[in-house]
Amino acid sequence: YGTYPTWTIIWLIPLTGLAVLAALAVGLWLSALNVQYRDVQHMIPFLLQAWMYASPVAYSIDLVPSEGIWRWIYGLNPMVGVIQGFRWALLGGNPPDQLMLVSVVMVVVLLVSGLFYFRRMERNFADVV
């Protein structure tokens, strides 16, 4: 494709860590919910597919209007900043904007709340299962 890696490839390490933390946060929430509500296991494939379409995987983030509040609402998806960062680190182009900060905050909020919820529900796992 005529694209060669630059020094920005170093950013793949923290971006991969952020993606793993986002997956851990969602996994904590869904696993605790799955023990409590058995129907969650049937919803997970649909949720993952909807999450993929809600993330800029198959399209560019430039399709979301930058004026107004739409870009900030879109940035609440924790994978938006991660995917935007991966594209920048591998392909060059525009560096991640403020959506990276929003994604980091959302990952931290999801992870901390997921840890608390999982820990609270963990006491009842043996009773339910």
Side-chain angles (χ1 to χ4, degrees), residues 7-120:
W7 65 272
T8 58
I9 201 163
I10 295 172
W11 282 97
L12 288 179
I13 296 169
L15 288 170
T16 302
L18 190 61
V20 167
L21 288 177
L24 175 66
V26 173
L28 285 170
W29 271 103
L30 289 177
S31 63
L33 285 172
N34 187 35
V35 170
Q36 188 174 9
Y37 306 106
R38 295 295 179 176
D39 293 336
V40 171
Q41 69 181 354
H42 301 294
M43 290 178 18
I44 289 175
F46 299 109
L47 289 174
L48 287 177
Q49 188 173 12
W51 195 15
M52 187 195 77
Y53 285 118
S55 301
V57 175
Y59 55 88
S60 174
I61 195 169
D62 296 329
L63 295 176
V64 178
S66 60
E67 60 273 347
I69 196 165
W70 293 112
R71 181 90 40 124
W72 284 98
I73 291 173
Y74 187 64
L76 293 177
N77 178 352
M79 291 306 293
V80 168
V82 174
I83 294 170
Q84 186 181 11
F86 272 119
R87 282 195 177 138
W88 168 70
L90 291 173
L91 304 174
N94 297 333
D97 54 2
Q98 67 272 11
L99 289 181
M100 179 61 76
L101 179 62
V102 175
S103 291
V104 169
V105 169
M106 285 305 298
V107 167
V108 169
V109 166
L110 281 173
L111 185 63
V112 169
S113 64
L115 285 170
F116 280 121
Y117 183 68
F118 187 88
R119 185 72 173 148
R120 187 172 62 115

